Amino acid sequence: MPFAGFDIPKIRGLGSDVKALGDRAGALHNDISGVLFQAQALLGGKPATTSPALQPLVRPPVFWVGLFGGAQLPGALGRELHDMSDSITRRCNQLEKCSALLDKGYAIDPAVVFADEKAPDQQKIDGALSAVAALNGKGFGEDGNRDDLEKVKQQLDGLTAAELDAFLAKVPPEDLKRYGDLAGKTDDSGMWWWESHDGIPDNEFRDHLSGLLRKAGPAHWGVLESAFPGIQPGFDTTDVYLDGANSQRGVNTSGITYQTPTLPLFAHPGKVDASTISQGQFADCWYIASLTATAQANPQFIAEGIKKNANGTVDVRIWDKDGTKHWVTVTPDLPTDANGNPVSAHGNGETWPAYYEKAFALTYGGDQGGTNGHDGDPRYDKAEKGDYGATEWDQTDKAPPYVTGHDSSSIDNNLDAIRKSFESHHPVIVATGTEQPPQNGPSDLSQGFVTRHVYYVKGFTSDGRIRLGNPWGSGNPDVLATPEEYEKYFNSPQQLRVGE
């Protein structure tokens, strides 16, 4: 037994004792009920107890016997003790089977060895290894062979966390990469459409990768990343990586690399504060403005759309280009610069905005090229998918469906129309053009104003101006614009619809 300090027979004995306590819980409460009922009668009707937890037990004992058969504690404790006993038994089985696999040379990450799941089955592991290896040499041209890939996908999806870890430790890298390459080839080209179904459809494959990453132990995340590019979004095609700086903000971004943050998902568990969101250095204001506007209008909706998994990965709810909802799983590491500062989106002492952005980078498939002053340069100006580069420089109406699950609606470009939408509790975003307002104009519009940028509506002032929040974060002043200034310098207002 490689797990020192774990005496399986004693732990199993504890599980049996816990189950026996559950069996006796009902009888115990019958006895308590009887004592309390008699005490109340002797007290002339005065309460036998002041405890809210015990007051419901002041009944004739037969009540509990008739309702629960004397076998379970009234309420849930009897069931909870039985569930606890069953969990102890499953964990013991898991430890024993994992230990046997380790003795045979299979590697399993300690993070999943103690999982409460069905004990690993060596036949399933070896079957998956054989299925992946069998893809070598098969024809995957215009005749498709999607069925072969679907079978492998189903086998891998059916593995428990421990089985998947053992598989990832054994599978030759070239076999797994071949499967990833074949599964990702979805051009479906050929003379006969019924014979040309190649690869696995994008939506299915995205869910497949999330399922694998959600189960795999941290020691094997690198194996998945090497075989499946869709596991980790790249950043080497972003403007800030190629330039070494954010040209709009003048922030140095040299030495970008992935690092795992020490900050929690939420600064205050389960609570979202839109005012703390900062875009970071990637040129995706159009997405972060949509996320921030939604968080401002419905913080609970955003909070419910992200959760941390037992293995340390993070699940993010996101809708794809076809309107299908997914829980996209991402690793916890995030892009940082050479000094350890966050390059991606972030909050004040929290990381949830970064994971929303990371999941979006993996999912967004609408980038057809387009740059900030680098048109025609193939390093910048190209169609991208599945990386941070794909999220840079796009239109206000493109991000909302990924955040909310619904297309946004265009609003007339005037403050009356925008106020009506905003006061109807819709998130609203607006864009700026290329014209810069005068620095010494009659108002303070120039404070915080950025060309080719997207803002979110924060409200309206008492004198009729619109207040716009900058997705760059709280360190940047709000923009205040009169109706005339708004119509001159702003455009493309979008009303978002929140809710599934």
Side-chain angles (χ1 to χ4, degrees):
M1 170 63 67
F3 308 110
F6 290 92
D7 189 322
I8 298 297
K10 285 187 177 180
I11 297 174
R12 288 190 184 278
L14 173 63
S16 297
D17 291 343
V18 169
K19 188 171 186 179
L21 287 174
D23 291 338
R24 296 196 295 268
L28 171 63
H29 270 62
N30 268 328
D31 293 342
I32 295 173
S33 178
V35 170
L36 292 173
F37 183 72
Q38 292 177 25
Q40 184 152 301
L42 293 172
L43 290 170
K46 293 180 179 180
T49 177
T50 58
S51 168
L54 293 178
Q55 284 172 356
L57 300 181
V58 187
R59 305 280 180 87
V62 70
F63 169 81
W64 301 119
V65 176
L67 188 56
F68 295 96
Q72 285 191 333
L73 171 66
L77 185 54
R79 286 191 298 274
E80 289 177 2
L81 291 172
H82 282 192
D83 290 345
M84 184 184 298
S85 174
D86 292 342
S87 176
I88 290 172
T89 299
R90 285 192 298 270
R91 291 173 187 272
C92 286
N93 293 340
Q94 173 88 338
L95 279 169
E96 287 180 334
K97 288 298 182 72
C98 286
S99 178
L101 287 172
L102 288 168
D103 289 341
K104 294 179 180 180
Y106 293 84
I108 302 174
D109 195 301
V112 301
V113 165
F114 300 97
D116 184 359
E117 62 182 17
K118 186 177 179 181
D121 181 342
Q122 184 180 340
Q123 287 187 337
K124 289 174 63 181
I125 301 166
D126 293 342
L129 289 168
S130 298
V132 172
L135 296 176
N136 187 22
K138 285 195 173 182
F140 283 84
E142 292 182 355
D143 56 345
N145 287 315
R146 178 172 291 174
D147 288 347
D148 292 326
L149 296 172
E150 289 282 2
K151 289 177 183 177
V152 174
K153 171 183 170 295
Q154 290 172 8
Q155 283 183 276
L156 294 180
D157 286 344
L159 298 178
T160 66
E163 289 165 350
L164 177 62
D165 244 40
F167 165 84
L168 292 174
K170 283 276 189 179
V171 65
E174 62 272 16
D175 285 1
L176 197 59
K177 188 177 187 307
R178 181 186 306 111
Y179 167 61
D181 291 343
L182 292 170
K185 181 179 179 294
T186 56
D187 55 336
D188 287 355
S189 61
M191 181 177 298
W192 308 108
W193 67 266
W194 60 83
E195 292 184 350
S196 63
H197 294 304
D198 297 332
I200 298 174
D202 284 349
N203 288 357
E204 290 182 29
F205 198 54
R206 164 56 48 210
D207 291 341
H208 175 50
L209 294 184
S210 290
L212 297 180
L213 188 56
R214 197 174 295 129
K215 289 187 290 187
H220 292 122
W221 292 345
V223 176
L224 292 173
E225 290 175 18
S226 296
F228 308 121
I231 289 285
Q232 184 82 306
F235 47 71
D236 57 355
T237 62
T238 62
D239 287 3
V240 294
Y241 179 85
L242 294 170
D243 295 341
N246 183 310
S247 59
Q248 279 187 309
R249 306 179 69 179
V251 176
N252 184 290
T253 56
S254 62
I256 302 178
T257 185
Y258 268 110
Q259 294 185 37
T260 301
T262 57
L263 296 173
L265 201 60
F266 296 104
H268 305 285
K271 293 185 178 180
V272 165
D273 182 356
S275 68
T276 70
I277 301 173
S278 175
Q279 176 185 330
Q281 307 309 326
F282 295 131
D284 59 355
C285 58
W286 55 287
Y287 170 73
I288 300 300
S290 295
L291 180 68
T292 307
T294 304
Q296 175 183 256
N298 194 331
Q300 188 62 29
F301 178 80
I302 294 296
E304 291 171 350
I306 186 167
K307 55 190 176 183
K308 198 165 187 177
N309 298 312
N311 68 346
T313 58
V314 179
D315 279 355
V316 180
R317 179 190 58 201
I318 195 167
W319 287 263
D320 62 25
K321 61 183 176 63
D322 299 317
T324 303
K325 184 176 74 172
H326 302 269
W327 282 95
V328 175
T329 306
V330 296
T331 53
D333 48 348
L334 298 169
T336 61
D337 65 19
N339 296 317
N341 300 312
V343 173
S344 58
H346 52 278
N348 185 10
E350 56 190 0
T351 56
W352 68 264
Y355 296 119
Y356 261 97
E357 182 184 45
K358 189 174 183 179
F360 177 64
L362 284 175
T363 307
Y364 186 60
D367 177 49
Q368 299 302 316
T371 68
N372 182 29
H374 296 282
D375 293 351
D377 187 331
R379 296 179 306 153
Y380 297 83
D381 190 4
K382 61 181 178 180
E384 296 173 275
K385 179 180 177 182
D387 56 32
Y388 284 105
T391 71
E392 295 193 311
W393 305 106
D394 218 322
Q395 305 300 313
T396 54
D397 64 336
K398 301 299 184 184
Y402 290 83
V403 178
T404 69
H406 304 284
D407 288 336
S408 58
S409 303
S410 295
I411 311 172
D412 290 340
N413 197 41
N414 61 74
L415 293 200
D416 287 339
I418 292 175
R419 182 192 288 270
K420 182 178 179 181
S421 292
F422 182 79
E423 292 181 350
S424 297
H425 306 292
H426 287 285
V428 180
I429 58 175
V430 302
T432 59
T434 57
E435 185 175 358
Q436 180 78 41
Q439 294 295 312
N440 298 312
S443 76
D444 54 1
L445 174 62
S446 63
Q447 295 296 314
F449 186 95
V450 181
T451 59
R452 297 190 64 196
H453 198 39
V454 181
Y455 293 81
Y456 66 100
V457 177
K458 296 182 72 172
F460 295 81
T461 65
S462 58
D463 60 359
R465 291 181 294 172
I466 190 171
R467 182 181 295 276
L468 299 171
N470 190 335
W472 287 352
S474 58
N476 296 270
D478 293 340
V479 172
L480 297 172
T482 65
E484 296 75 21
E485 290 170 333
Y486 174 82
E487 291 185 37
K488 182 175 182 180
Y489 296 106
F490 296 86
N491 60 75
S492 307
Q494 298 288 312
Q495 169 185 291
L496 280 63
R497 174 185 162 197
V498 182
E500 296 187 49

